[in-house]
Short mmCIF file of all heavy atoms in Angstrom, two decimals:
data_model
loop_
_atom_site.label_atom_id
_atom_site.label_comp_id
_atom_site.label_asym_id
_atom_site.label_seq_id
_atom_site.Cartn_x
_atom_site.Cartn_y
_atom_site.Cartn_z
N MET A 21 0.82 -1.18 0.00
CA MET A 21 -0.02 0.00 0.00
C MET A 21 0.88 1.25 -0.01
O MET A 21 0.60 2.21 -0.72
CB MET A 21 -0.91 0.01 1.22
CG MET A 21 -1.80 1.19 1.30
SD MET A 21 -2.97 0.93 2.67
CE MET A 21 -3.47 2.57 2.91
N PHE A 22 1.94 1.28 0.78
CA PHE A 22 2.79 2.37 0.85
C PHE A 22 4.11 2.21 0.10
O PHE A 22 5.15 2.68 0.49
CB PHE A 22 3.06 2.75 2.31
CG PHE A 22 1.90 3.29 3.04
CD1 PHE A 22 1.21 2.48 3.94
CD2 PHE A 22 1.39 4.54 2.80
CE1 PHE A 22 0.08 2.94 4.63
CE2 PHE A 22 0.30 5.05 3.47
CZ PHE A 22 -0.39 4.25 4.40
N ASP A 23 4.03 1.46 -0.99
CA ASP A 23 5.26 1.20 -1.79
C ASP A 23 5.83 2.48 -2.38
O ASP A 23 7.04 2.61 -2.57
CB ASP A 23 4.98 0.22 -2.91
CG ASP A 23 4.80 -1.19 -2.41
OD1 ASP A 23 5.31 -1.46 -1.31
OD2 ASP A 23 4.16 -2.02 -3.10
N TRP A 24 5.00 3.48 -2.61
CA TRP A 24 5.51 4.69 -3.23
C TRP A 24 6.31 5.53 -2.26
O TRP A 24 7.02 6.44 -2.70
CB TRP A 24 4.30 5.55 -3.74
CG TRP A 24 3.32 5.90 -2.71
CD1 TRP A 24 2.25 5.17 -2.27
CD2 TRP A 24 3.27 7.12 -1.94
NE1 TRP A 24 1.58 5.82 -1.33
CE2 TRP A 24 2.16 7.03 -1.11
CE3 TRP A 24 4.06 8.28 -1.94
CZ2 TRP A 24 1.83 8.02 -0.22
CZ3 TRP A 24 3.73 9.24 -1.05
CH2 TRP A 24 2.61 9.17 -0.21
N LEU A 25 6.28 5.23 -0.95
CA LEU A 25 7.09 5.90 0.04
C LEU A 25 8.55 5.37 0.05
O LEU A 25 9.44 6.03 0.55
CB LEU A 25 6.48 5.83 1.41
CG LEU A 25 5.18 6.66 1.62
CD1 LEU A 25 4.64 6.40 2.94
CD2 LEU A 25 5.52 8.15 1.45
N LYS A 26 8.73 4.11 -0.35
CA LYS A 26 10.04 3.50 -0.27
C LYS A 26 10.90 4.08 -1.38
O LYS A 26 10.50 4.29 -2.52
CB LYS A 26 9.89 1.98 -0.45
CG LYS A 26 9.16 1.31 0.63
CD LYS A 26 9.01 -0.17 0.40
CE LYS A 26 8.16 -0.82 1.46
NZ LYS A 26 7.94 -2.25 1.20
N PRO A 27 12.15 4.31 -1.05
CA PRO A 27 13.10 4.81 -2.07
C PRO A 27 13.40 3.69 -3.13
O PRO A 27 13.47 2.52 -2.79
CB PRO A 27 14.35 5.19 -1.27
CG PRO A 27 14.26 4.43 0.00
CD PRO A 27 12.80 4.24 0.28
N ASP A 28 13.58 4.14 -4.34
CA ASP A 28 13.82 3.16 -5.42
C ASP A 28 15.31 2.95 -5.54
O ASP A 28 16.09 3.88 -5.84
CB ASP A 28 13.29 3.80 -6.74
CG ASP A 28 13.35 2.79 -7.87
OD1 ASP A 28 13.61 1.58 -7.57
OD2 ASP A 28 13.15 3.18 -9.01
N PRO A 29 15.78 1.72 -5.28
CA PRO A 29 17.25 1.47 -5.29
C PRO A 29 17.81 1.57 -6.72
O PRO A 29 18.99 1.89 -6.90
CB PRO A 29 17.38 0.02 -4.79
CG PRO A 29 16.04 -0.59 -4.91
CD PRO A 29 15.03 0.58 -4.89
N VAL A 30 16.97 1.32 -7.75
CA VAL A 30 17.50 1.48 -9.13
C VAL A 30 17.81 2.91 -9.42
O VAL A 30 18.85 3.20 -10.04
CB VAL A 30 16.45 0.91 -10.13
CG1 VAL A 30 16.84 1.16 -11.55
CG2 VAL A 30 16.25 -0.61 -9.92
N LYS A 31 16.96 3.84 -9.02
CA LYS A 31 17.21 5.26 -9.27
C LYS A 31 18.45 5.69 -8.53
O LYS A 31 19.22 6.49 -9.01
CB LYS A 31 16.04 6.10 -8.80
CG LYS A 31 14.79 5.99 -9.78
CD LYS A 31 13.76 6.92 -9.27
CE LYS A 31 12.52 6.83 -10.21
NZ LYS A 31 11.42 7.68 -9.77
N LYS A 32 18.61 5.22 -7.31
CA LYS A 32 19.81 5.61 -6.51
C LYS A 32 21.06 5.12 -7.18
O LYS A 32 22.04 5.90 -7.30
CB LYS A 32 19.68 5.00 -5.12
CG LYS A 32 20.82 5.40 -4.20
CD LYS A 32 20.66 4.72 -2.82
CE LYS A 32 21.88 5.08 -1.97
NZ LYS A 32 21.77 4.40 -0.65
N LEU A 33 21.11 3.85 -7.61
CA LEU A 33 22.30 3.34 -8.29
C LEU A 33 22.54 4.08 -9.61
O LEU A 33 23.66 4.31 -9.99
CB LEU A 33 22.12 1.86 -8.53
CG LEU A 33 22.61 0.94 -7.45
CD1 LEU A 33 22.35 -0.55 -7.80
CD2 LEU A 33 24.03 1.11 -7.16
N ARG A 34 21.48 4.42 -10.29
CA ARG A 34 21.68 5.10 -11.58
C ARG A 34 22.26 6.50 -11.36
O ARG A 34 23.14 6.93 -12.13
CB ARG A 34 20.29 5.22 -12.29
CG ARG A 34 20.32 5.90 -13.62
CD ARG A 34 21.15 5.03 -14.55
NE ARG A 34 21.35 5.74 -15.82
CZ ARG A 34 21.40 5.17 -16.98
NH1 ARG A 34 21.26 3.85 -17.09
NH2 ARG A 34 21.59 5.88 -18.08
N ARG A 35 21.85 7.20 -10.30
CA ARG A 35 22.38 8.48 -10.01
C ARG A 35 23.88 8.38 -9.61
O ARG A 35 24.73 9.18 -10.03
CB ARG A 35 21.67 9.17 -8.83
CG ARG A 35 20.35 9.80 -9.30
CD ARG A 35 19.81 10.73 -8.24
NE ARG A 35 19.59 10.07 -6.97
CZ ARG A 35 18.41 9.52 -6.60
NH1 ARG A 35 17.38 9.64 -7.40
NH2 ARG A 35 18.29 8.94 -5.46
N GLN A 36 24.25 7.32 -8.88
CA GLN A 36 25.65 7.09 -8.50
C GLN A 36 26.46 6.81 -9.71
O GLN A 36 27.59 7.27 -9.90
CB GLN A 36 25.74 5.92 -7.50
CG GLN A 36 25.23 6.28 -6.12
CD GLN A 36 25.27 5.05 -5.19
OE1 GLN A 36 25.48 3.94 -5.62
NE2 GLN A 36 25.09 5.31 -3.92
N TYR A 37 25.93 5.95 -10.64
CA TYR A 37 26.61 5.61 -11.87
C TYR A 37 26.84 6.82 -12.71
O TYR A 37 27.96 7.01 -13.24
CB TYR A 37 25.77 4.53 -12.61
CG TYR A 37 26.29 4.24 -14.01
CD1 TYR A 37 27.38 3.46 -14.21
CD2 TYR A 37 25.61 4.77 -15.12
CE1 TYR A 37 27.83 3.19 -15.48
CE2 TYR A 37 26.07 4.50 -16.40
CZ TYR A 37 27.18 3.72 -16.54
OH TYR A 37 27.59 3.45 -17.83
N ASP A 38 25.83 7.65 -12.91
CA ASP A 38 25.98 8.87 -13.68
C ASP A 38 27.00 9.81 -13.11
O ASP A 38 27.77 10.40 -13.81
CB ASP A 38 24.63 9.57 -13.82
CG ASP A 38 23.67 8.82 -14.69
OD1 ASP A 38 24.07 7.94 -15.49
OD2 ASP A 38 22.43 9.06 -14.60
N ALA A 39 27.03 9.94 -11.77
CA ALA A 39 28.00 10.82 -11.10
C ALA A 39 29.44 10.29 -11.32
O ALA A 39 30.35 11.07 -11.55
CB ALA A 39 27.67 10.91 -9.62
N LYS A 40 29.66 8.95 -11.17
CA LYS A 40 30.96 8.40 -11.39
C LYS A 40 31.43 8.59 -12.83
O LYS A 40 32.58 8.98 -13.10
CB LYS A 40 31.02 6.94 -11.09
CG LYS A 40 30.99 6.58 -9.65
CD LYS A 40 32.26 6.92 -8.96
CE LYS A 40 32.14 6.55 -7.48
NZ LYS A 40 33.25 7.10 -6.73
N LEU A 41 30.55 8.46 -13.78
CA LEU A 41 30.93 8.68 -15.16
C LEU A 41 31.27 10.12 -15.45
O LEU A 41 32.26 10.40 -16.13
CB LEU A 41 29.77 8.24 -16.13
CG LEU A 41 29.73 6.79 -16.50
CD1 LEU A 41 28.61 6.57 -17.50
CD2 LEU A 41 31.03 6.33 -17.07
N GLU A 42 30.56 11.05 -14.83
CA GLU A 42 30.87 12.45 -15.00
C GLU A 42 32.25 12.78 -14.38
O GLU A 42 32.99 13.48 -14.96
CB GLU A 42 29.74 13.32 -14.39
CG GLU A 42 29.89 14.78 -14.64
CD GLU A 42 28.77 15.59 -14.12
OE1 GLU A 42 27.66 14.99 -13.83
OE2 GLU A 42 28.95 16.79 -14.03
N GLN A 43 32.49 12.23 -13.18
CA GLN A 43 33.81 12.42 -12.57
C GLN A 43 34.92 11.86 -13.48
O GLN A 43 35.98 12.47 -13.57
CB GLN A 43 33.82 11.79 -11.20
CG GLN A 43 33.00 12.42 -10.16
CD GLN A 43 32.94 11.64 -8.86
OE1 GLN A 43 33.52 10.54 -8.74
NE2 GLN A 43 32.26 12.20 -7.85
N ALA A 44 34.66 10.70 -14.06
CA ALA A 44 35.68 10.05 -14.91
C ALA A 44 35.94 10.95 -16.14
O ALA A 44 37.10 11.09 -16.54
CB ALA A 44 35.21 8.68 -15.35
N ILE A 45 34.91 11.49 -16.75
CA ILE A 45 35.09 12.36 -17.90
C ILE A 45 35.88 13.58 -17.53
O ILE A 45 36.81 13.99 -18.26
CB ILE A 45 33.70 12.71 -18.52
CG1 ILE A 45 33.08 11.47 -19.13
CG2 ILE A 45 33.82 13.86 -19.50
CD1 ILE A 45 31.65 11.66 -19.57
N LEU A 46 35.59 14.15 -16.40
CA LEU A 46 36.31 15.36 -15.97
C LEU A 46 37.78 15.03 -15.67
O LEU A 46 38.66 15.82 -15.98
CB LEU A 46 35.69 16.00 -14.76
CG LEU A 46 34.31 16.60 -14.97
CD1 LEU A 46 33.68 17.07 -13.67
CD2 LEU A 46 34.41 17.75 -15.94
N ALA A 47 38.05 13.86 -15.11
CA ALA A 47 39.39 13.45 -14.87
C ALA A 47 40.19 13.23 -16.13
O ALA A 47 41.33 13.60 -16.27
CB ALA A 47 39.44 12.17 -14.04
N GLN A 48 39.51 12.63 -17.12
CA GLN A 48 40.13 12.43 -18.44
C GLN A 48 40.48 13.76 -19.09
O GLN A 48 41.54 13.97 -19.68
CB GLN A 48 39.24 11.58 -19.29
CG GLN A 48 39.91 11.26 -20.66
CD GLN A 48 38.93 10.49 -21.56
OE1 GLN A 48 37.69 10.60 -21.43
NE2 GLN A 48 39.43 9.68 -22.46
N ARG A 49 39.54 14.73 -19.04
CA ARG A 49 39.74 16.00 -19.64
C ARG A 49 40.89 16.79 -19.02
O ARG A 49 41.56 17.57 -19.65
CB ARG A 49 38.47 16.81 -19.61
CG ARG A 49 37.46 16.35 -20.55
CD ARG A 49 36.21 17.21 -20.49
NE ARG A 49 35.19 16.73 -21.36
CZ ARG A 49 33.88 17.13 -21.32
NH1 ARG A 49 33.50 18.05 -20.44
NH2 ARG A 49 33.03 16.59 -22.15
N SER A 50 41.09 16.54 -17.71
CA SER A 50 42.17 17.24 -17.02
C SER A 50 43.50 16.51 -17.19
O SER A 50 44.55 17.02 -16.79
CB SER A 50 41.83 17.39 -15.53
OG SER A 50 41.88 16.09 -14.88
N GLY A 51 43.50 15.38 -17.81
CA GLY A 51 44.74 14.63 -18.10
C GLY A 51 45.13 13.60 -17.05
O GLY A 51 46.21 12.98 -17.16
N ASN A 52 44.29 13.36 -16.07
CA ASN A 52 44.59 12.41 -14.99
C ASN A 52 44.03 11.09 -15.42
O ASN A 52 42.93 10.68 -15.05
CB ASN A 52 43.99 12.83 -13.68
CG ASN A 52 44.47 12.09 -12.51
OD1 ASN A 52 45.11 11.04 -12.68
ND2 ASN A 52 44.24 12.60 -11.33
N LEU A 53 44.82 10.36 -16.20
CA LEU A 53 44.32 9.07 -16.77
C LEU A 53 44.22 7.94 -15.75
O LEU A 53 43.37 7.04 -15.87
CB LEU A 53 45.21 8.66 -17.95
CG LEU A 53 45.21 9.61 -19.12
CD1 LEU A 53 46.05 9.11 -20.24
CD2 LEU A 53 43.77 9.84 -19.62
N ARG A 54 45.06 7.98 -14.73
CA ARG A 54 44.97 6.94 -13.70
C ARG A 54 43.63 7.10 -12.94
O ARG A 54 42.95 6.10 -12.69
CB ARG A 54 46.13 7.04 -12.73
CG ARG A 54 46.13 5.92 -11.64
CD ARG A 54 47.37 5.93 -10.83
NE ARG A 54 48.59 5.81 -11.59
CZ ARG A 54 49.07 4.62 -11.97
NH1 ARG A 54 48.46 3.51 -11.68
NH2 ARG A 54 50.22 4.56 -12.66
N LEU A 55 43.29 8.29 -12.55
CA LEU A 55 42.00 8.53 -11.89
C LEU A 55 40.85 8.18 -12.82
O LEU A 55 39.85 7.63 -12.37
CB LEU A 55 41.92 9.99 -11.44
CG LEU A 55 40.63 10.40 -10.67
CD1 LEU A 55 40.48 9.57 -9.40
CD2 LEU A 55 40.64 11.84 -10.38
N PHE A 56 40.99 8.53 -14.08
CA PHE A 56 39.97 8.16 -15.05
C PHE A 56 39.73 6.67 -15.11
O PHE A 56 38.59 6.17 -15.10
CB PHE A 56 40.36 8.69 -16.43
CG PHE A 56 39.58 8.07 -17.56
CD1 PHE A 56 38.23 8.51 -17.79
CD2 PHE A 56 40.09 7.16 -18.44
CE1 PHE A 56 37.47 7.99 -18.78
CE2 PHE A 56 39.37 6.62 -19.49
CZ PHE A 56 38.07 7.02 -19.61
N ALA A 57 40.82 5.88 -15.10
CA ALA A 57 40.71 4.41 -15.13
C ALA A 57 40.02 3.92 -13.89
O ALA A 57 39.16 2.98 -13.90
CB ALA A 57 42.07 3.78 -15.30
N ASP A 58 40.41 4.45 -12.73
CA ASP A 58 39.81 4.01 -11.45
C ASP A 58 38.33 4.32 -11.41
O ASP A 58 37.49 3.48 -10.99
CB ASP A 58 40.55 4.67 -10.29
CG ASP A 58 41.99 4.22 -10.08
OD1 ASP A 58 42.32 3.11 -10.57
OD2 ASP A 58 42.72 4.91 -9.45
N LEU A 59 37.97 5.53 -11.81
CA LEU A 59 36.53 5.91 -11.77
C LEU A 59 35.72 5.17 -12.76
O LEU A 59 34.57 4.81 -12.51
CB LEU A 59 36.42 7.42 -12.02
CG LEU A 59 36.89 8.35 -10.89
CD1 LEU A 59 36.92 9.78 -11.30
CD2 LEU A 59 36.06 8.13 -9.61
N THR A 60 36.34 4.82 -13.93
CA THR A 60 35.63 4.00 -14.90
C THR A 60 35.36 2.59 -14.38
O THR A 60 34.29 2.06 -14.59
CB THR A 60 36.43 3.98 -16.21
OG1 THR A 60 36.64 5.30 -16.69
CG2 THR A 60 35.72 3.21 -17.28
N ALA A 61 36.37 2.06 -13.71
CA ALA A 61 36.17 0.71 -13.10
C ALA A 61 35.10 0.72 -12.06
O ALA A 61 34.27 -0.22 -11.99
CB ALA A 61 37.50 0.23 -12.52
N GLU A 62 35.02 1.77 -11.23
CA GLU A 62 33.97 1.88 -10.25
C GLU A 62 32.62 2.01 -10.87
O GLU A 62 31.64 1.44 -10.41
CB GLU A 62 34.25 3.11 -9.31
CG GLU A 62 35.44 2.92 -8.38
CD GLU A 62 35.73 4.15 -7.57
OE1 GLU A 62 34.78 4.94 -7.38
OE2 GLU A 62 36.84 4.29 -7.10
N SER A 63 32.56 2.79 -11.94
CA SER A 63 31.23 2.98 -12.64
C SER A 63 30.83 1.66 -13.29
O SER A 63 29.64 1.40 -13.28
CB SER A 63 31.35 4.11 -13.64
OG SER A 63 32.15 3.77 -14.74
N GLU A 64 31.73 0.89 -13.79
CA GLU A 64 31.38 -0.41 -14.39
C GLU A 64 30.81 -1.35 -13.32
O GLU A 64 29.88 -2.08 -13.59
CB GLU A 64 32.56 -1.00 -15.11
CG GLU A 64 32.87 -0.32 -16.38
CD GLU A 64 34.13 -0.85 -17.04
OE1 GLU A 64 34.76 -1.79 -16.51
OE2 GLU A 64 34.50 -0.33 -18.10
N ALA A 65 31.41 -1.31 -12.14
CA ALA A 65 30.94 -2.14 -11.04
C ALA A 65 29.49 -1.71 -10.63
O ALA A 65 28.63 -2.56 -10.39
CB ALA A 65 31.83 -2.04 -9.83
N LEU A 66 29.22 -0.41 -10.58
CA LEU A 66 27.91 0.09 -10.33
C LEU A 66 26.92 -0.35 -11.43
O LEU A 66 25.77 -0.68 -11.07
CB LEU A 66 27.91 1.62 -10.19
CG LEU A 66 28.48 2.19 -8.89
CD1 LEU A 66 28.58 3.67 -9.04
CD2 LEU A 66 27.64 1.80 -7.72
N TRP A 67 27.37 -0.34 -12.64
CA TRP A 67 26.53 -0.73 -13.75
C TRP A 67 26.10 -2.21 -13.64
O TRP A 67 24.98 -2.59 -13.86
CB TRP A 67 27.18 -0.48 -15.10
CG TRP A 67 26.23 -0.82 -16.22
CD1 TRP A 67 26.30 -1.94 -17.02
CD2 TRP A 67 25.09 -0.09 -16.62
NE1 TRP A 67 25.29 -1.89 -17.95
CE2 TRP A 67 24.52 -0.78 -17.70
CE3 TRP A 67 24.48 1.06 -16.20
CZ2 TRP A 67 23.36 -0.33 -18.36
CZ3 TRP A 67 23.36 1.50 -16.84
CH2 TRP A 67 22.79 0.81 -17.92
N LEU A 68 27.07 -3.08 -13.23
CA LEU A 68 26.75 -4.47 -13.04
C LEU A 68 25.70 -4.67 -11.93
O LEU A 68 24.79 -5.52 -12.05
CB LEU A 68 28.01 -5.26 -12.73
CG LEU A 68 28.97 -5.38 -13.87
CD1 LEU A 68 30.27 -6.14 -13.37
CD2 LEU A 68 28.38 -6.14 -15.04
N GLN A 69 25.82 -3.91 -10.86
CA GLN A 69 24.83 -3.97 -9.78
C GLN A 69 23.46 -3.54 -10.27
O GLN A 69 22.43 -4.09 -9.94
CB GLN A 69 25.27 -3.13 -8.60
CG GLN A 69 26.46 -3.63 -7.83
CD GLN A 69 26.87 -2.67 -6.74
OE1 GLN A 69 26.23 -1.65 -6.54
NE2 GLN A 69 27.92 -3.04 -6.02
N LEU A 70 23.49 -2.47 -11.07
CA LEU A 70 22.29 -1.90 -11.63
C LEU A 70 21.59 -2.92 -12.53
O LEU A 70 20.37 -3.09 -12.41
CB LEU A 70 22.58 -0.61 -12.35
CG LEU A 70 21.44 0.17 -12.92
CD1 LEU A 70 20.52 0.65 -11.80
CD2 LEU A 70 21.90 1.38 -13.71
N GLU A 71 22.34 -3.59 -13.39
CA GLU A 71 21.76 -4.58 -14.30
C GLU A 71 21.17 -5.77 -13.47
O GLU A 71 20.08 -6.26 -13.84
CB GLU A 71 22.79 -5.12 -15.26
CG GLU A 71 23.08 -4.20 -16.38
CD GLU A 71 24.08 -4.78 -17.38
OE1 GLU A 71 24.89 -5.62 -16.99
OE2 GLU A 71 23.97 -4.45 -18.53
N ALA A 72 21.85 -6.19 -12.44
CA ALA A 72 21.38 -7.26 -11.60
C ALA A 72 20.05 -6.88 -10.96
O ALA A 72 19.11 -7.67 -10.90
CB ALA A 72 22.38 -7.60 -10.57
N LEU A 73 19.96 -5.67 -10.45
CA LEU A 73 18.70 -5.19 -9.82
C LEU A 73 17.55 -5.11 -10.87
O LEU A 73 16.44 -5.53 -10.55
CB LEU A 73 18.90 -3.80 -9.22
CG LEU A 73 19.15 -3.72 -7.73
CD1 LEU A 73 19.43 -2.35 -7.30
CD2 LEU A 73 17.96 -4.27 -6.99
N MET A 74 17.88 -4.66 -12.05
CA MET A 74 16.83 -4.54 -13.05
C MET A 74 16.34 -5.91 -13.53
O MET A 74 15.13 -6.11 -13.75
CB MET A 74 17.34 -3.70 -14.24
CG MET A 74 17.52 -2.22 -13.87
SD MET A 74 17.89 -1.06 -15.15
CE MET A 74 18.76 -1.92 -16.35
N THR A 75 17.24 -6.87 -13.67
CA THR A 75 16.82 -8.21 -14.10
C THR A 75 16.03 -8.88 -12.97
O THR A 75 15.08 -9.63 -13.20
CB THR A 75 18.01 -9.09 -14.50
OG1 THR A 75 18.92 -9.12 -13.42
CG2 THR A 75 18.68 -8.58 -15.76
#
Side-chain angles (χ1 to χ4, degrees):
M21 180 173 162
F22 291 105
D23 286 339
W24 58 275
L25 288 175
K26 295 179 184 176
D28 189 10
V30 172
K31 286 183 181 179
K32 181 181 176 183
L33 272 178
R34 183 63 188 215
R35 281 194 302 266
Q36 289 175 348
Y37 171 75
D38 290 340
K40 285 289 179 191
L41 274 184
E42 186 174 345
Q43 290 173 356
I45 290 170
L46 292 174
Q48 183 184 26
R49 287 181 183 167
S50 69
N52 193 346
L53 296 181
R54 183 173 302 275
L55 180 61
F56 167 72
D58 291 341
L59 290 172
T60 303
E62 290 177 22
S63 68
E64 288 176 0
L66 285 172
W67 183 255
L68 291 176
Q69 291 176 1
L70 185 63
E71 282 184 333
L73 260 174
M74 290 186 333
T75 57

